Amino acid sequence: EVQLVESGGGLIQPGGSLRLSCAASGFTVSSNYMSWVRQAPGKGLEWVSLIYSAGTTYYADSVKGRFTISRDNSKNTLYLQMNSLRAEDTAVYYCARGVAAAGFLWFDYWGQGTLVTVSS
Amino acid sequence: DIQMTQSPSSLSASVGDRVTITCRASQSISSYLNWYQQKPGKAPKLLIYAASSLQSGVPSRFSGSGSGTDFTLTISSLQPEDFATYYCQQSYSTSITFGQGTRLEIK
């Protein structure tokens, strides 16, 4: 059974750093596309970052230069390192597994999310 | 970035109704369009991928259509568990974007 479990969220002051983790089971993180998607309180979904199975990474303009997506193959875990955090980064952060086929990409499994609150 | 615009933003309907939600892309995205359902406090759930392919385990009352810039999600006969928020998402660009969501409420 495929499962994604996020952790690492919490309350952090503006300008601070936080690392989110997404532990996967039932499949191999390094063989799949993986993504982070966030949702500010009461708002819609916002894509944050994507890592291809080959290791290529992509970021939303809103986080580029501040966030870094990575993975640990030995732990089958996806990470999101978040630096220089701002109040507008406050959101529930979801990790999601991407399926790529014939050029298409969709997210078929999602974690339960972890809340990041940036506030002084 | 490619902008995704959903309409309506909210919708009231009754059990048994046929409902259609529209998603428009700011440029052509071929069929690189997915639909998700989200209930309060829960993670999104994939319904439709590649514009019209039904995800495994999703009831057949859900269907998707469209290509280019205009897409629709149709629920043929609303069930009580379908009241939720629906999002479209494009994967044509590596800068992935979601629509703003359509909240489907009970009339």
Side-chain angles (χ1 to χ4, degrees):
Chain A
E1 180 191 6
V2 171
Q3 279 196 323
L4 295 166
V5 179
E6 300 97 335
S7 60
L11 175 63
I12 186 78
Q13 291 188 340
S17 298
L18 209 56
R19 188 179 79 160
L20 305 183
S21 300
C22 172
S25 57
F27 73 102
T28 302
V29 164
S30 61
S31 299
N32 286 265
Y33 290 25
M34 297 294 297
S35 193
W36 289 96
V37 176
R38 68 184 181 184
Q39 186 168 38
K43 302 297 184 183
L45 301 172
E46 180 189 15
W47 172 75
V48 173
S49 184
L50 173 68
I51 183 167
Y52 282 3
S53 51
T56 308
T57 59
Y58 299 92
Y59 299 92
D61 288 343
S62 58
V63 307
K64 200 172 295 181
R66 300 188 298 124
F67 290 11
T68 302
I69 190 171
S70 64
R71 63 194 181 202
D72 184 330
N73 298 342
S74 66
K75 296 182 178 180
N76 208 34
T77 298
L78 178 74
Y79 299 101
L80 186 67
Q81 177 67 43
M82 304 185 295
N83 299 330
S84 303
L85 282 162
R86 306 166 180 167
E88 54 265 35
D89 295 319
T90 294
V92 173
Y93 284 74
Y94 296 100
C95 66
R97 186 179 81 165
V99 176
F104 296 98
L105 172 64
W106 59 89
F107 301 121
D108 65 342
Y109 284 94
W110 297 64
Q112 84 289 350
T114 187
L115 176 62
V116 173
T117 303
V118 184
S119 175
S120 54
Chain B
D1 286 0
I2 298 173
Q3 305 304 315
M4 306 301 295
T5 304
Q6 291 181 229
S7 60
S9 295
S10 63
L11 173 62
S12 294
S14 301
V15 172
D17 284 354
R18 179 183 180 89
V19 166
T20 297
I21 297 169
T22 297
C23 178
R24 175 164 289 176
S26 60
Q27 67 179 73
S28 178
I29 58 170
S30 184
S31 297
Y32 293 85
L33 191 284
N34 309 311
W35 289 98
Y36 300 86
Q37 176 194 68
Q38 187 181 34
K39 296 181 179 179
K42 300 295 185 180
K45 172 187 175 183
L46 176 68
L47 299 176
I48 301 286
Y49 62 92
S52 60
S53 295
L54 190 68
Q55 171 68 355
S56 176
V58 174
S60 59
R61 63 181 179 272
F62 291 91
S63 63
S65 65
S67 67
T69 61
D70 294 318
F71 302 86
T72 59
L73 173 70
T74 300
I75 309 172
S76 60
S77 178
L78 271 174
Q79 297 303 300
E81 60 268 28
D82 299 338
F83 292 94
T85 300
Y86 293 84
Y87 294 93
C88 62
Q89 171 244 319
Q90 65 80 18
S91 61
Y92 179 85
S93 164
T94 50
S95 185
I96 292 165
T97 46
F98 288 88
Q100 82 279 14
T102 294
R103 185 175 179 182
L104 179 53
E105 300 174 318
I106 301 173
K107 184 181 288 183

